[in-house]
Amino acid sequence: MLLLKESKYQFNTKVERYFIWPAFYLLAFVLLSIIISIYDKKLGLISFIFCSFILIITILLHYVVKKKLMSEVINFALDFGVVQKNLLYNFPIPYIVLDNQGKIRWYNEKFEKLCVDDKILNKPISSIVQEINYETLINNKDSIKHIQIGENFYELEVKPIYVNEINEDKSAEFDEPIKMYAVYLFDETKIKDLQSRIKDQKTVIGLLYIDNFEEALQSIEEVRRPLLVALIDRNINKFAQNIDAVVRKFEKDKYFFIFQHKYLHQLQSNKFAILDDIRAINIGNEMPVTLSMGIGVNGKSFTQSVEFARTSIDLALGRGGDQAVVKDMERLYYYGGKTKDVEKSTRVKTRVKAHAFRELLEGKDKVIIMGHKLQDLDSLGAAIGIYRAAKTLNKKAYIVLKDITTSVRPLYELFKLDAEYEEDMFLKNEEAIEKADNNTLLVVVDVNRPSYTECPELLEIIPNIVVFDHHRVSSENIENAVLSYIEPYASSTCEMVAELIQYMSEKIKLKPLEADALFAGITVDTKNFMVKTGVKTFEAAAFLRRNGADVVRVRKLFRNDMESYKARAEAIKNAEIYKDSLAITFCPGDKIESPTIVAAQTADELLNISGIKASFVLTQIENTIYISSRSIDDINVQLIMEKLGGGGHLNVAGAQLVNFTVEDALDVLKDKIDELIEEGEL
């Protein structure tokens, strides 16, 4: 109604001018008649008679013709308004007008068909179309939203309307501008359908490796080996047929396959059942066959998708095998990895890595060795083993050690008191950065995540990096390493280093204190040779014993102070039994020097309680909550810790939660456990 009044006011002022002009003409004739009558009265009289006719015509125009003309103009305007209204009402795109309260003030026929409710006018838009939120709609910067109504998809475009903007010549003024919103709903169902089809037809690249092909063949009679190979091929070909994939074997234990993206969801929903199918093959083989899969998705090019697949298979193998890894641009998805890592009997890989490491050492002037933050005996022991290898090759070597925890202090003090070792054997972070240059080799031990290293800045300064670790690889890893040797099946990094030293050179002779350090690292990570020990573990221990390692001296390195014992006892006392078999507790760290070490010991101790399958011990250092988790074979704690941004092994894992309170950390931990139980992962 307001718009109609405004339009009418503008119309009258413009048309009125055309009816004023005859009055000006009449005035001009009157003046002319007066002038003529001065010179000639007869002609003036005739002129006044003509003026009378003009006056009569002006009056007729003003009172008779004007009304008829105005009526015709108004009728035309009204007819034109009806045409415009019908055009909008029959507009092929759903269209509505909302007021500043989010209520519908006008709508067209197309929008009416979208609504179930017959009464639409003056109702809030969110009550008519629940998918449209008025506040979100008008506050969105680009004023465009994508919603789904029923089976159709729509793109919403919002245009604000100010009523006073319609009055172009400002002939009428309003106290406040009346703001409304015109909303267009563009149907993009066909576009979405085409996009979905294009995505479904995208090529997905996959690599499939048999983890323990040789070992599995060796564990069976020779006459049955062809049958085992045939069963493996049959299961893989059946897997390929189910997803319409093309699969090709390019080595005896390696396969390459491609398939359409629409089948990827099927694989993810059944958790890559091929992993279980291959593991279930049993024709008398003592060792179950396992495989690893790497899949590359949504690469910008075919080549990039292949690179994604290679990265994925490397991650799957680095995490211990028997799992599938999907890389979708920057995101990684893990499936499987529930079985225990199997030790490889072959030593070819170790020998190759040892020779490559020696060549790198010989090409550099100095070596900087660092482990993870809050170092333990495995980290420091491995660093000392690498230190001895570098010194034997006459290279200057340093070990980065920022914080000296209670677990490593006894060993650290033994080296500091020994006159055979240089004063600068151990460096703080700042000192290590000063000594780093392009002719330095950086060796990272017992960690493969950049953020967990003792001095992450060194990774950016030194281009030549070597990584030795026994933890499973996560999505965050040191990618620019010139040499990476990560074996999740190894009991400890000290075991790996002890084996490497034997292949590097016969000249390398460990001193008794160095052998003690490596032996202590193995002892800690194997829980006194009770957990995750293999043939190589005992062979490494035997090698260290031959080099002078003493069990009594090593045992003295493990002694704790009274406060640590009290903290551990209190944590065990307050432990909560969750889901009938999970022990969760908090270890107070305010009175002890190394809370994380005590938390790890507490987690180990809780597993000795009957019925406990996994333990989780939280401790706090400043604004960070550290979680140590341990389990027996039944539960994979690595999956839980990865949900929290951490990682580790199947039975030993951990995580760090920054800016969390203890209560919040406990809630998050329980939520992740519940989530994995619901998904059937635990």
Side-chain angles (χ1 to χ4, degrees):
M1 195 67 182
L2 184 60
L3 292 175
L4 182 59
K5 286 181 179 180
E6 182 182 1
S7 300
K8 183 177 179 181
Y9 183 88
Q10 292 177 4
F11 176 79
N12 287 341
T13 55
K14 291 178 181 179
V15 177
E16 190 72 28
R17 297 170 188 171
Y18 294 97
F19 295 96
I20 295 175
W21 282 111
F24 289 109
Y25 298 149
L26 177 61
L27 181 61
F29 272 110
V30 170
L31 292 174
L32 181 62
S33 298
I34 293 171
I35 295 171
I36 293 173
S37 63
I38 294 174
Y39 293 98
D40 191 333
K41 293 183 178 180
K42 289 183 178 180
L43 290 175
L45 180 60
I46 295 171
S47 179
F48 274 112
I49 292 172
F50 276 105
C51 286
S52 299
F53 281 111
I54 294 173
L55 177 61
I56 293 170
I57 292 170
T58 302
I59 293 171
L60 289 173
L61 285 173
H62 190 76
Y63 288 102
V64 179
V65 178
K66 177 184 175 182
K67 290 182 179 180
K68 291 183 178 180
L69 181 62
M70 288 293 291
S71 177
E72 291 296 325
V73 171
I74 290 171
N75 288 335
F76 173 79
L78 291 173
D79 291 341
F80 187 74
V82 172
V83 171
Q84 285 184 316
K85 184 176 180 180
N86 288 334
L87 285 173
L88 281 173
Y89 187 74
N90 298 316
F91 199 50
I93 297 172
Y95 174 84
I96 55 174
V97 177
L98 305 177
D99 63 14
N100 55 11
Q101 301 295 323
K103 294 181 179 180
I104 300 174
R105 293 302 184 185
W106 192 87
Y107 58 90
N108 67 353
E109 184 181 17
K110 280 288 184 180
F111 180 80
E112 187 178 14
K113 291 180 179 179
L114 296 178
C115 306
V116 179
D117 197 343
D118 295 334
K119 297 179 181 180
I120 301 174
L121 204 62
N122 296 325
K123 286 190 175 182
I125 181 63
S126 57
S127 66
I128 303 300
V129 182
Q130 296 180 355
E131 291 81 2
I132 301 178
N133 183 286
Y134 174 71
E135 294 295 333
T136 305
L137 190 66
I138 64 172
N139 291 328
N140 193 32
K141 292 181 180 179
D142 56 7
S143 298
I144 293 176
K145 286 286 183 182
H146 299 272
I147 65 169
Q148 182 178 359
I149 303 176
E151 296 181 355
N152 294 336
F153 296 89
Y154 293 91
E155 178 184 355
L156 271 61
E157 186 169 347
V158 183
K159 298 292 183 183
I161 302 173
Y162 294 92
V163 171
N164 60 340
E165 289 180 355
I166 301 173
N167 182 21
E168 296 178 357
D169 64 354
K170 308 297 182 184
S171 58
E173 296 183 358
F174 304 95
D175 295 335
E176 293 183 2
I178 299 177
K179 188 175 183 180
M180 306 181 83
Y181 297 92
V183 183
Y184 304 84
L185 286 82
F186 298 96
D187 193 336
E188 54 180 6
T189 306
K190 291 184 179 179
I191 297 174
K192 289 284 187 182
D193 182 56
L194 290 173
Q195 289 175 342
S196 177
R197 290 184 185 182
I198 292 171
K199 183 178 179 181
D200 287 344
Q201 293 172 5
K202 274 189 174 182
T203 302
V204 179
I205 310 298
L207 291 170
L208 190 154
Y209 292 178
I210 306 298
D211 297 325
N212 53 347
F213 185 76
E214 292 294 340
E215 289 81 357
L217 288 180
Q218 293 296 327
S219 69
I220 197 174
E221 298 175 5
E222 188 172 354
V223 293
R224 292 192 176 186
R225 291 174 186 174
L227 177 59
L228 180 62
V229 175
L231 287 173
I232 294 172
D233 287 340
R234 178 186 175 187
N235 277 273
I236 292 174
N237 288 328
K238 183 180 178 182
F239 156 77
Q241 289 175 3
N242 290 336
I243 59 172
D244 194 26
V246 177
V247 61
R248 291 291 181 269
K249 179 191 286 190
F250 61 92
E251 287 186 27
K252 60 184 179 181
D253 57 350
K254 294 180 175 63
Y255 302 78
F256 175 86
F257 62 98
I258 58 174
F259 61 97
Q260 291 182 328
H261 189 279
K262 63 182 178 180
Y263 295 105
L264 181 61
H265 179 71
Q266 174 185 330
L267 295 178
Q268 292 175 319
S269 61
N270 63 25
K271 309 291 185 183
F272 286 82
I274 180 65
L275 299 173
D276 299 325
D277 295 339
I278 293 295
R279 200 184 310 112
I281 295 175
N282 188 350
I283 57 171
N285 46 300
E286 298 176 3
M287 179 181 294
V289 181
T290 63
L291 61 80
S292 297
M293 294 176 65
I295 293 177
V297 186
N298 292 331
K300 293 180 180 179
S301 64
F302 199 81
T303 305
Q304 189 177 44
S305 293
V306 174
E307 288 300 320
F308 285 174
R310 288 176 179 170
T311 302
S312 299
I313 195 67
D314 289 340
L315 278 171
L317 295 172
R319 290 163 55 84
D322 188 31
Q323 58 192 283
V325 178
V326 179
K327 181 173 175 59
D328 183 354
M329 293 303 288
E330 298 300 324
R331 301 187 66 182
L332 287 164
Y333 303 91
Y334 303 99
Y335 302 90
K338 299 179 182 179
T339 59
K340 190 176 181 180
D341 303 323
V342 179
E343 183 181 23
K344 307 291 191 302
S345 59
T346 177
R347 290 169 173 76
V348 176
K349 184 176 181 180
T350 306
R351 186 170 64 250
V352 171
K353 298 290 185 182
H355 289 172
F357 180 50
R358 177 172 178 168
E359 290 179 1
L360 289 171
L361 279 175
E362 291 175 342
K364 301 299 175 184
D365 293 336
K366 52 188 172 183
V367 181
I368 295 179
I369 312 153
M370 73 170 174
H372 52 74
K373 295 176 182 177
L374 302 175
Q375 292 198 37
D376 54 19
L377 286 172
D378 185 34
S379 176
L380 183 57
I384 290 170
I386 298 297
Y387 174 88
R388 172 47 52 199
K391 297 297 288 183
T392 303
L393 296 176
N394 298 317
K395 304 296 177 181
K396 187 67 176 175
Y398 309 96
I399 298 174
V400 183
L401 187 60
K402 179 184 177 182
D403 299 317
I404 304 169
T405 62
T406 53
S407 63
V408 301
R409 175 173 282 109
L411 184 62
Y412 168 80
E413 291 177 348
L414 289 174
F415 278 93
K416 292 297 289 184
L417 294 173
D418 196 326
E420 293 186 18
Y421 296 95
E422 300 170 349
E423 288 291 332
D424 59 354
M425 175 182 179
F426 298 101
L427 300 178
K428 299 293 184 182
N429 289 13
E430 299 77 13
E431 297 170 333
I433 292 172
E434 291 178 1
K435 292 185 180 294
D437 55 35
N438 290 332
N439 207 25
T440 301
L441 182 67
L442 176 63
V443 182
V444 180
V445 295
D446 202 34
V447 63
N448 59 64
R449 303 181 67 168
S451 60
Y452 283 18
T453 56
E454 186 75 273
C455 183
E457 294 82 3
L458 288 174
L459 298 172
E460 301 176 2
I461 298 172
I462 302 175
N464 303 296
I465 303 172
V466 176
V467 180
F468 296 129
D469 189 23
H470 71 118
H471 296 100
R472 290 189 175 189
V473 180
S474 65
S475 55
E476 180 199 3
N477 56 78
I478 301 172
E479 297 179 350
N480 58 334
V482 294
L483 176 63
S484 181
Y485 184 24
I486 300 174
E487 290 293 358
Y489 64 79
S491 69
S492 59
T493 311
C494 284
E495 175 193 317
M496 295 171 59
V497 171
E499 190 176 11
L500 278 168
I501 289 173
Q502 298 178 64
Y503 288 108
M504 283 183 64
S505 174
E506 295 179 356
K507 297 180 181 179
I508 299 178
K509 177 67 176 177
L510 294 173
K511 297 180 180 180
L513 185 55
E514 295 163 352
D516 285 347
L518 287 164
F519 195 93
I522 297 175
T523 305
V524 166
D525 275 22
T526 58
K527 310 296 182 277
N528 290 316
F529 294 89
M530 295 177 62
V531 178
K532 205 178 180 183
T533 53
V535 175
K536 290 185 178 182
T537 309
F538 292 102
E539 288 181 351
F543 166 74
L544 296 173
R545 286 283 288 161
R546 289 196 299 270
N547 279 268
D550 185 86
V551 178
V552 176
R553 289 199 304 265
V554 170
R555 185 178 178 183
K556 291 180 180 179
L557 299 174
F558 300 147
R559 291 184 293 184
N560 289 328
D561 55 53
M562 184 58 71
E563 292 299 331
S564 297
Y565 268 101
K566 288 180 178 179
R568 187 167 63 184
E570 184 178 351
I572 295 172
K573 176 184 175 182
N574 298 325
E576 172 191 358
I577 306 302
Y578 188 68
K579 298 294 183 181
D580 297 328
S581 61
L582 308 178
I584 302 176
T585 188
F586 173 73
C587 179
D590 51 343
K591 296 181 180 179
I592 54 179
E593 188 174 355
S594 300
T596 55
I597 302 298
V598 178
Q601 294 172 347
T602 305
D604 291 327
E605 191 71 27
L606 285 169
L607 290 181
N608 294 327
I609 300 174
S610 177
I612 299 300
K613 296 181 179 179
S615 60
F616 304 87
V617 181
L618 289 70
T619 189
Q620 185 172 12
I621 300 178
E622 296 179 352
N623 65 333
T624 303
I625 301 294
Y626 293 83
I627 304 177
S628 294
S629 60
R630 301 290 187 269
S631 74
I632 306 178
D633 291 340
D634 296 342
I635 294 179
N636 186 345
V637 291
Q638 180 201 5
L639 295 177
I640 303 172
M641 293 299 102
E642 283 184 339
K643 289 280 187 180
L644 298 172
H649 295 283
L650 186 144
N651 303 124
V652 179
Q656 300 176 14
L657 301 177
V658 182
N659 296 325
F660 271 72
T661 63
V662 176
E663 292 75 15
D664 291 340
L666 285 169
D667 291 339
V668 171
L669 174 61
K670 292 177 181 179
D671 289 342
K672 296 303 179 184
I673 292 172
D674 294 341
E675 181 181 325
L676 287 170
I677 291 175
E678 290 177 3
E679 294 175 357
E681 297 291 339
L682 293 181

